[in-house]
Amino acid sequence: MQYNHFLRMNFQPDELTQQVAQTAKDFADKFIKPHVMEWDEAQEFPLHIFKELGKLGMMGVLVPEAYGGAGLSYFEYSVIIQEIARVCGSIGLSVAAHNSLCTGHILTFGNEEQKKKYLPNLATCEWLGAWGLTEPNTGSDAGNMKTTAVKNGDSWILNGTKCWITHGKSGDVAVVICRTGDPRAKDNSTAFIVDRGTPGFSAGKKENKLGMRASETAEMIFDNCVIPDANRFGEVGAGFKQSMKVLDGGRISIAALSIGIAKGAYDAAVKYAKERHQFDQPIANFQAISFKLADMAIDIAASELLINQACYLKIKGLPMTKESAMAKYYASETAVKASTEAVQIFGGNGYSKDFPVEKFYRDSKLCTIGEGTSEVQKLVIGREILK
């Protein structure tokens, strides 16, 4: 294997990163943990929590201070998502989608006027953001999307439906990728931003999900929705390329989300294994259990190294498509494995909603699907290797 760059990384988090992590942990323990199952059972989207996170700068983590954000790095962003997901994957997912996708797209590809208009309100969560790429018949096949934008003078007319959109109903603004060329043609899509309340823009079905139930997922419907050309990001036809770059960063956040869930399941399993007695001793004494915990710890540690590598490359502005895909793939699969083993260690109690691991188990699966399935990550990695 050849490397185009050599990494020199300090494996000890600096003081700022540790402080940010502690703040996120304290918030999650105090304001999220007591309500996790209540929100999950009711599929309640606790918008007030994100408003409070906005006050702490956690909804504008990567946004420069000049635009009202926290101006932090991907290292701080990663630990924020991890500490929140350690308690509730749903809240971690919404924090990630708002920061990486909607806000991230504007931050990376918006012009100065667009940044000044949208970033300050997104950074404080005065406005909640959504990002729309996926459609009912085009998940991984984004080049064949059906949602179109047709130029009409100085305006664009949007028609179509986006699905599986985080904050598709409650989002105040949405970045939407629409087809502006022929199906499957090169450079056939363009990104736009649409404000909630624009005529022709409405919310559709809210999904009833296996996990991540407190993170709102809904359709966005466009029916002759007219927006000005000023709402276009970059050149006509650049939408797909922009989306792929946004997803490179987004995959880091899903990797962080995944490992947060894995850590939550692991912590619960270690605690339970020490407390649960069988045959007059803690089940942690049995090799079958200790080996499970060892495997979980190894996979979590390996995932953290992959995430930190991707964060480092992102911060340095170096190519990181392969590394972010590796981090996302490995961490998401680790989340599923760790939560599965946690349920097994809990035994019958692991299958009960009175104990925490069944929720980690349900939440973890989304991580292997959202922002590119595990299979798509392997496709990306393979292409990068064979370039």
Side-chain angles (χ1 to χ4, degrees):
M1 182 180 289
Q2 294 182 336
Y3 292 90
N4 296 323
H5 43 256
F6 292 92
L7 305 184
R8 292 185 180 273
M9 294 172 56
N10 181 352
F11 292 96
Q12 179 63 36
D14 63 24
E15 185 177 352
L16 174 62
T17 305
Q18 292 180 51
Q19 289 175 348
V20 168
Q22 189 62 50
T23 301
K25 182 182 186 303
D26 292 344
F27 182 92
D29 287 340
K30 184 175 181 180
F31 297 106
I32 299 174
K33 194 171 186 177
H35 307 287
V36 165
M37 291 312 297
E38 168 194 339
W39 296 336
D40 183 77
E41 290 285 301
Q43 292 201 83
E44 178 184 347
F45 179 60
L47 183 57
H48 67 282
I49 287 293
F50 302 100
K51 301 292 186 182
E52 294 301 317
L53 285 167
K55 294 176 184 177
L56 294 173
M58 295 186 186
M59 299 299 277
V61 184
L62 303 168
V63 176
E65 293 180 22
Y67 299 111
L72 298 174
S73 79
Y74 258 81
F75 286 119
E76 287 78 49
Y77 180 39
S78 172
V79 297
I80 286 169
I81 295 175
Q82 287 183 51
E83 291 300 338
I84 292 173
R86 210 166 184 159
V87 171
C88 181
S90 295
I91 307 303
L93 173 62
S94 279
V95 171
H98 174 92
N99 276 283
S100 289
L101 301 182
C102 180
T103 305
H105 200 127
I106 300 168
L107 181 61
T108 306
F109 297 106
N111 58 37
E112 192 61 23
E113 184 179 345
Q114 291 166 336
K115 290 178 181 179
K116 287 180 177 178
K117 179 178 179 180
Y118 290 103
L119 290 179
N121 286 312
L122 286 166
T124 59
C125 203
E126 181 68 25
W127 293 346
L128 185 70
W131 190 79
L133 177 66
T134 303
E135 297 183 3
N137 295 309
T138 56
S140 301
D141 185 16
N144 195 33
M145 67 179 67
K146 301 296 188 290
T147 299
T148 59
V150 177
K151 190 79 184 295
N152 182 27
D154 291 331
S155 300
W156 292 84
I157 304 172
L158 277 54
N159 281 287
T161 299
K162 296 293 182 178
C163 67
W164 289 102
I165 307 304
T166 305
H167 314 145
K169 182 177 180 181
S170 296
D172 298 287
V173 296
V175 174
V176 187
I177 293 81
C178 303
R179 182 164 56 78
T180 49
D182 294 330
R184 301 199 186 285
K186 185 180 180 181
D187 301 329
N188 71 343
S189 64
T190 306
F192 303 89
I193 189 161
V194 188
D195 297 83
R196 186 70 64 180
T198 303
F201 175 28
S202 61
K205 173 189 174 186
K206 179 181 176 179
E207 300 295 340
N208 184 8
K209 299 175 295 183
L210 169 73
M212 302 291 195
R213 290 167 61 84
S215 178
E216 178 188 277
T217 308
E219 291 179 325
M220 296 193 302
I221 300 170
F222 302 92
D223 183 10
N224 290 320
C225 177
V226 180
I227 59 171
D229 188 54
N231 286 30
R232 170 173 51 84
F233 290 111
E235 299 298 321
V236 173
F240 186 75
K241 290 179 180 177
Q242 291 178 10
S243 298
M244 294 304 100
K245 290 182 180 178
V246 168
L247 286 173
D248 275 349
R251 285 167 182 154
I252 295 175
S253 69
I254 299 301
L257 173 70
S258 302
I259 219 60
I261 292 171
K263 287 179 177 179
Y266 170 76
D267 291 343
V270 169
K271 183 174 183 292
Y272 187 82
K274 291 178 178 179
E275 295 173 350
R276 172 70 167 173
H277 281 66
Q278 292 287 279
F279 304 100
D280 304 318
Q281 59 184 309
I283 63 171
N285 289 353
F286 300 125
Q287 192 178 72
I289 301 300
S290 67
F291 277 15
K292 289 181 184 296
L293 295 172
D295 285 338
M296 293 161 73
I298 293 165
D299 286 341
I300 288 170
S303 297
E304 286 184 302
L305 290 173
L306 286 168
I307 292 168
N308 287 338
Q309 175 182 239
C311 287
Y312 177 86
L313 294 173
K314 178 71 173 175
I315 292 166
K316 294 295 183 181
L318 295 168
M320 40 74 76
T321 296
K322 179 181 67 178
E323 287 79 6
S324 67
M326 285 179 168
K328 197 273 189 187
Y329 170 78
Y330 197 83
S332 63
E333 293 293 336
T334 291
V336 173
K337 287 167 61 180
S339 58
T340 300
E341 291 290 40
V343 170
Q344 197 70 16
I345 289 169
F346 271 72
N349 288 332
Y351 210 66
S352 168
K353 290 183 181 290
D354 293 332
F355 293 83
V357 291
E358 66 85 28
K359 183 178 184 296
F360 290 123
Y361 180 74
R362 289 186 289 109
D363 286 350
S364 67
K365 190 56 194 170
L366 185 277
C367 298
T368 68
I369 300 170
E371 295 194 33
T373 63
S374 290
E375 290 74 20
V376 165
Q377 303 312 311
K378 286 185 176 182
L379 183 66
V380 170
I381 295 163
R383 285 176 175 172
E384 290 296 311
I385 289 170
L386 297 171
K387 271 186 177 179

